[in-house]
Short mmCIF file of all heavy atoms in Angstrom, two decimals:
data_model
loop_
_atom_site.label_atom_id
_atom_site.label_comp_id
_atom_site.label_asym_id
_atom_site.label_seq_id
_atom_site.Cartn_x
_atom_site.Cartn_y
_atom_site.Cartn_z
N SER A 30 -7.16 25.56 28.21
CA SER A 30 -7.47 26.65 29.13
C SER A 30 -8.58 26.26 30.09
O SER A 30 -8.69 26.80 31.19
CB SER A 30 -7.87 27.90 28.34
OG SER A 30 -9.04 27.66 27.57
N GLU A 31 -9.41 25.29 29.66
CA GLU A 31 -10.52 24.81 30.48
C GLU A 31 -10.07 23.71 31.43
O GLU A 31 -10.51 23.65 32.59
CB GLU A 31 -11.62 24.27 29.55
CG GLU A 31 -13.00 24.32 30.12
CD GLU A 31 -14.05 23.89 29.08
OE1 GLU A 31 -13.80 24.05 27.87
OE2 GLU A 31 -15.09 23.40 29.50
N PHE A 32 -9.16 22.86 30.96
CA PHE A 32 -8.73 21.69 31.74
C PHE A 32 -7.21 21.55 31.66
O PHE A 32 -6.67 21.22 30.60
CB PHE A 32 -9.39 20.42 31.21
CG PHE A 32 -10.89 20.45 31.23
CD1 PHE A 32 -11.60 20.61 30.05
CD2 PHE A 32 -11.58 20.33 32.43
CE1 PHE A 32 -12.98 20.64 30.06
CE2 PHE A 32 -12.96 20.36 32.45
CZ PHE A 32 -13.66 20.51 31.26
N SER A 33 -6.54 21.76 32.77
CA SER A 33 -5.08 21.66 32.79
C SER A 33 -4.61 20.22 32.66
O SER A 33 -3.44 19.97 32.38
CB SER A 33 -4.53 22.27 34.08
OG SER A 33 -5.04 21.58 35.22
N GLY A 34 -5.52 19.25 32.87
CA GLY A 34 -5.13 17.85 32.81
C GLY A 34 -5.03 17.28 31.41
O GLY A 34 -4.62 16.13 31.24
N LEU A 35 -5.38 18.07 30.38
CA LEU A 35 -5.33 17.58 29.00
C LEU A 35 -3.99 17.90 28.37
O LEU A 35 -3.51 19.03 28.42
CB LEU A 35 -6.44 18.22 28.17
CG LEU A 35 -6.43 17.88 26.66
CD1 LEU A 35 -6.69 16.39 26.45
CD2 LEU A 35 -7.45 18.73 25.92
N ARG A 36 -3.37 16.89 27.77
CA ARG A 36 -2.11 17.07 27.04
C ARG A 36 -2.25 16.43 25.67
O ARG A 36 -2.49 15.22 25.55
CB ARG A 36 -0.97 16.41 27.83
CG ARG A 36 0.33 16.26 27.04
CD ARG A 36 1.11 17.55 26.96
NE ARG A 36 2.48 17.31 26.54
CZ ARG A 36 2.89 17.24 25.28
NH1 ARG A 36 2.01 17.36 24.30
NH2 ARG A 36 4.16 17.05 25.00
N VAL A 37 -2.12 17.23 24.62
CA VAL A 37 -2.23 16.75 23.24
C VAL A 37 -0.83 16.80 22.62
O VAL A 37 -0.16 17.83 22.68
CB VAL A 37 -3.20 17.61 22.41
CG1 VAL A 37 -3.34 17.05 21.00
CG2 VAL A 37 -4.57 17.68 23.09
N LEU A 38 -0.40 15.68 22.04
CA LEU A 38 0.90 15.66 21.38
C LEU A 38 0.96 16.73 20.29
O LEU A 38 -0.02 16.97 19.59
CB LEU A 38 1.17 14.29 20.74
CG LEU A 38 1.35 13.09 21.67
CD1 LEU A 38 1.74 11.86 20.86
CD2 LEU A 38 2.38 13.37 22.74
N SER A 39 2.10 17.37 20.16
CA SER A 39 2.26 18.40 19.14
C SER A 39 2.01 17.82 17.76
O SER A 39 2.58 16.79 17.40
CB SER A 39 3.67 19.00 19.22
OG SER A 39 3.90 19.61 20.47
N SER A 40 1.16 18.48 17.00
CA SER A 40 0.82 17.99 15.66
C SER A 40 2.01 18.17 14.72
O SER A 40 2.70 19.19 14.75
CB SER A 40 -0.39 18.75 15.13
OG SER A 40 -0.74 18.29 13.84
N ASN A 41 2.25 17.17 13.90
CA ASN A 41 3.29 17.26 12.88
C ASN A 41 2.89 16.38 11.70
O ASN A 41 1.85 15.71 11.74
CB ASN A 41 4.66 16.86 13.45
CG ASN A 41 4.64 15.48 14.11
OD1 ASN A 41 4.07 14.53 13.57
ND2 ASN A 41 5.25 15.37 15.29
N ASN A 42 3.69 16.38 10.66
CA ASN A 42 3.34 15.63 9.45
C ASN A 42 3.24 14.13 9.71
O ASN A 42 2.39 13.44 9.15
CB ASN A 42 4.37 15.90 8.35
CG ASN A 42 4.23 17.29 7.76
OD1 ASN A 42 3.17 17.91 7.87
ND2 ASN A 42 5.29 17.79 7.14
N GLN A 43 4.12 13.60 10.58
CA GLN A 43 4.10 12.18 10.85
C GLN A 43 2.79 11.76 11.53
O GLN A 43 2.15 10.78 11.14
CB GLN A 43 5.28 11.77 11.73
CG GLN A 43 5.26 10.29 12.08
CD GLN A 43 6.39 9.88 13.00
OE1 GLN A 43 6.80 8.73 12.97
NE2 GLN A 43 6.89 10.78 13.81
N ILE A 44 2.39 12.51 12.55
CA ILE A 44 1.15 12.17 13.26
C ILE A 44 -0.05 12.32 12.34
O ILE A 44 -0.96 11.48 12.33
CB ILE A 44 1.00 13.03 14.53
CG1 ILE A 44 2.04 12.60 15.58
CG2 ILE A 44 -0.41 12.91 15.11
CD1 ILE A 44 2.02 13.41 16.86
N SER A 45 -0.06 13.38 11.53
CA SER A 45 -1.16 13.57 10.59
C SER A 45 -1.22 12.43 9.58
O SER A 45 -2.31 11.96 9.20
CB SER A 45 -1.00 14.91 9.87
OG SER A 45 -2.05 15.11 8.94
N TRP A 46 -0.06 11.97 9.14
CA TRP A 46 0.02 10.85 8.20
C TRP A 46 -0.54 9.58 8.83
O TRP A 46 -1.33 8.85 8.21
CB TRP A 46 1.48 10.67 7.78
CG TRP A 46 1.78 9.44 6.99
CD1 TRP A 46 1.10 8.96 5.91
CD2 TRP A 46 2.86 8.53 7.21
NE1 TRP A 46 1.69 7.81 5.43
CE2 TRP A 46 2.76 7.52 6.22
CE3 TRP A 46 3.90 8.47 8.13
CZ2 TRP A 46 3.68 6.46 6.14
CZ3 TRP A 46 4.80 7.43 8.05
CH2 TRP A 46 4.68 6.43 7.06
N LEU A 47 -0.18 9.31 10.09
CA LEU A 47 -0.69 8.13 10.79
C LEU A 47 -2.20 8.22 10.97
O LEU A 47 -2.92 7.23 10.81
CB LEU A 47 0.02 7.97 12.14
CG LEU A 47 1.51 7.62 12.07
CD1 LEU A 47 2.13 7.67 13.45
CD2 LEU A 47 1.72 6.25 11.44
N HIS A 48 -2.71 9.41 11.32
CA HIS A 48 -4.15 9.60 11.43
C HIS A 48 -4.85 9.28 10.12
O HIS A 48 -5.92 8.66 10.09
CB HIS A 48 -4.47 11.04 11.83
CG HIS A 48 -4.13 11.35 13.25
ND1 HIS A 48 -4.16 12.64 13.74
CD2 HIS A 48 -3.78 10.57 14.29
CE1 HIS A 48 -3.83 12.62 15.02
NE2 HIS A 48 -3.59 11.37 15.39
N THR A 49 -4.25 9.73 9.02
CA THR A 49 -4.85 9.51 7.70
C THR A 49 -4.95 8.02 7.39
O THR A 49 -5.99 7.54 6.92
CB THR A 49 -4.00 10.21 6.62
OG1 THR A 49 -3.90 11.60 6.91
CG2 THR A 49 -4.62 10.01 5.24
N ILE A 50 -3.90 7.27 7.68
CA ILE A 50 -3.91 5.83 7.42
C ILE A 50 -4.96 5.13 8.28
O ILE A 50 -5.72 4.29 7.79
CB ILE A 50 -2.51 5.23 7.69
CG1 ILE A 50 -1.50 5.78 6.68
CG2 ILE A 50 -2.55 3.70 7.63
CD1 ILE A 50 -0.06 5.39 6.97
N LEU A 51 -5.04 5.49 9.55
CA LEU A 51 -5.97 4.81 10.45
C LEU A 51 -7.43 5.13 10.13
O LEU A 51 -8.32 4.31 10.37
CB LEU A 51 -5.66 5.18 11.90
CG LEU A 51 -4.30 4.74 12.44
CD1 LEU A 51 -4.15 5.10 13.91
CD2 LEU A 51 -4.07 3.26 12.23
N ARG A 52 -7.68 6.29 9.56
CA ARG A 52 -9.05 6.69 9.23
C ARG A 52 -9.48 6.21 7.84
O ARG A 52 -10.67 6.21 7.54
CB ARG A 52 -9.20 8.21 9.32
CG ARG A 52 -9.14 8.76 10.73
CD ARG A 52 -9.33 10.28 10.70
NE ARG A 52 -9.23 10.88 12.02
CZ ARG A 52 -10.23 11.00 12.87
NH1 ARG A 52 -11.41 10.53 12.55
NH2 ARG A 52 -10.05 11.59 14.04
N ASP A 53 -8.53 5.81 7.03
CA ASP A 53 -8.84 5.42 5.65
C ASP A 53 -9.51 4.05 5.63
O ASP A 53 -8.93 3.06 6.10
CB ASP A 53 -7.55 5.39 4.83
CG ASP A 53 -7.81 5.23 3.34
OD1 ASP A 53 -8.96 4.91 2.96
OD2 ASP A 53 -6.87 5.41 2.56
N VAL A 54 -10.71 3.98 5.09
CA VAL A 54 -11.45 2.72 5.03
C VAL A 54 -10.74 1.69 4.15
O VAL A 54 -10.98 0.48 4.28
CB VAL A 54 -12.89 2.97 4.51
CG1 VAL A 54 -12.88 3.35 3.04
CG2 VAL A 54 -13.80 1.79 4.78
N LYS A 55 -9.84 2.12 3.26
CA LYS A 55 -9.13 1.20 2.37
C LYS A 55 -7.90 0.57 3.02
O LYS A 55 -7.30 -0.33 2.44
CB LYS A 55 -8.70 1.93 1.10
CG LYS A 55 -9.86 2.39 0.22
CD LYS A 55 -9.32 3.08 -1.03
CE LYS A 55 -10.45 3.53 -1.95
NZ LYS A 55 -9.91 4.22 -3.16
N THR A 56 -7.51 1.05 4.18
CA THR A 56 -6.31 0.52 4.82
C THR A 56 -6.49 -0.96 5.17
O THR A 56 -7.49 -1.34 5.78
CB THR A 56 -5.99 1.32 6.10
OG1 THR A 56 -5.73 2.68 5.75
CG2 THR A 56 -4.76 0.75 6.81
N THR A 57 -5.52 -1.78 4.78
CA THR A 57 -5.60 -3.21 5.07
C THR A 57 -5.38 -3.46 6.56
O THR A 57 -4.86 -2.60 7.29
CB THR A 57 -4.52 -3.98 4.28
OG1 THR A 57 -3.22 -3.57 4.74
CG2 THR A 57 -4.65 -3.72 2.79
N HIS A 58 -5.75 -4.66 6.99
CA HIS A 58 -5.59 -5.00 8.41
C HIS A 58 -4.13 -4.91 8.84
O HIS A 58 -3.80 -4.35 9.89
CB HIS A 58 -6.12 -6.41 8.66
CG HIS A 58 -5.85 -6.91 10.05
ND1 HIS A 58 -5.02 -7.97 10.31
CD2 HIS A 58 -6.29 -6.47 11.25
CE1 HIS A 58 -4.96 -8.17 11.62
NE2 HIS A 58 -5.71 -7.27 12.22
N GLY A 59 -3.21 -5.45 8.04
CA GLY A 59 -1.81 -5.41 8.38
C GLY A 59 -1.26 -4.00 8.51
O GLY A 59 -0.51 -3.69 9.44
N ASP A 60 -1.64 -3.14 7.58
CA ASP A 60 -1.18 -1.75 7.61
C ASP A 60 -1.81 -0.99 8.78
O ASP A 60 -1.19 -0.12 9.38
CB ASP A 60 -1.50 -1.05 6.30
CG ASP A 60 -0.59 -1.49 5.17
OD1 ASP A 60 0.56 -1.88 5.46
OD2 ASP A 60 -1.01 -1.46 4.01
N PHE A 61 -3.07 -1.33 9.09
CA PHE A 61 -3.73 -0.67 10.21
C PHE A 61 -3.01 -0.99 11.51
O PHE A 61 -2.70 -0.09 12.30
CB PHE A 61 -5.19 -1.12 10.30
CG PHE A 61 -5.99 -0.36 11.32
CD1 PHE A 61 -6.71 0.77 10.96
CD2 PHE A 61 -6.01 -0.76 12.65
CE1 PHE A 61 -7.44 1.49 11.90
CE2 PHE A 61 -6.74 -0.05 13.60
CZ PHE A 61 -7.46 1.07 13.23
N VAL A 62 -2.70 -2.26 11.74
CA VAL A 62 -2.03 -2.66 12.97
C VAL A 62 -0.64 -2.04 13.05
O VAL A 62 -0.24 -1.50 14.10
CB VAL A 62 -1.92 -4.20 13.05
CG1 VAL A 62 -1.03 -4.63 14.21
CG2 VAL A 62 -3.31 -4.81 13.20
N PHE A 63 0.11 -2.10 11.94
CA PHE A 63 1.47 -1.56 11.94
C PHE A 63 1.49 -0.08 12.31
O PHE A 63 2.29 0.37 13.14
CB PHE A 63 2.10 -1.77 10.55
CG PHE A 63 3.49 -1.20 10.42
CD1 PHE A 63 4.59 -1.88 10.91
CD2 PHE A 63 3.68 0.03 9.80
CE1 PHE A 63 5.87 -1.35 10.79
CE2 PHE A 63 4.95 0.57 9.69
CZ PHE A 63 6.05 -0.12 10.18
N ASN A 64 0.60 0.70 11.69
CA ASN A 64 0.61 2.14 11.93
C ASN A 64 -0.07 2.53 13.23
O ASN A 64 0.29 3.52 13.85
CB ASN A 64 -0.03 2.85 10.73
CG ASN A 64 0.86 2.79 9.50
OD1 ASN A 64 1.86 3.49 9.40
ND2 ASN A 64 0.51 1.92 8.55
N ALA A 65 -1.06 1.74 13.67
CA ALA A 65 -1.65 1.97 14.99
C ALA A 65 -0.60 1.76 16.07
O ALA A 65 -0.50 2.54 17.03
CB ALA A 65 -2.84 1.05 15.21
N ASP A 66 0.22 0.72 15.91
CA ASP A 66 1.29 0.46 16.88
C ASP A 66 2.28 1.62 16.93
O ASP A 66 2.80 1.97 18.00
CB ASP A 66 2.02 -0.83 16.53
CG ASP A 66 1.23 -2.08 16.90
OD1 ASP A 66 0.26 -1.97 17.67
OD2 ASP A 66 1.58 -3.18 16.40
N ARG A 67 2.56 2.22 15.78
CA ARG A 67 3.47 3.36 15.75
C ARG A 67 2.90 4.55 16.52
O ARG A 67 3.60 5.20 17.31
CB ARG A 67 3.75 3.78 14.31
CG ARG A 67 4.61 2.80 13.52
CD ARG A 67 4.96 3.37 12.16
NE ARG A 67 5.69 4.62 12.31
CZ ARG A 67 5.75 5.57 11.38
NH1 ARG A 67 5.12 5.42 10.24
NH2 ARG A 67 6.46 6.66 11.59
N LEU A 68 1.61 4.82 16.32
CA LEU A 68 0.98 5.95 17.00
C LEU A 68 0.87 5.67 18.51
O LEU A 68 1.10 6.56 19.33
CB LEU A 68 -0.41 6.20 16.40
CG LEU A 68 -1.11 7.50 16.83
CD1 LEU A 68 -0.28 8.72 16.42
CD2 LEU A 68 -2.50 7.59 16.20
#
Side-chain angles (χ1 to χ4, degrees):
S30 62
E31 206 174 333
F32 301 106
S33 60
L35 175 65
R36 167 78 164 87
V37 182
L38 293 186
S39 298
S40 180
N41 54 44
N42 287 339
Q43 177 183 207
I44 289 178
S45 180
W46 170 48
L47 292 173
H48 287 170
T49 302
I50 294 172
L51 296 183
R52 290 181 182 274
D53 190 348
V54 70
K55 294 181 179 179
T56 298
T57 65
H58 173 245
D60 286 332
F61 187 93
V62 171
F63 178 80
N64 289 285
D66 284 345
R67 290 186 59 204
L68 190 60

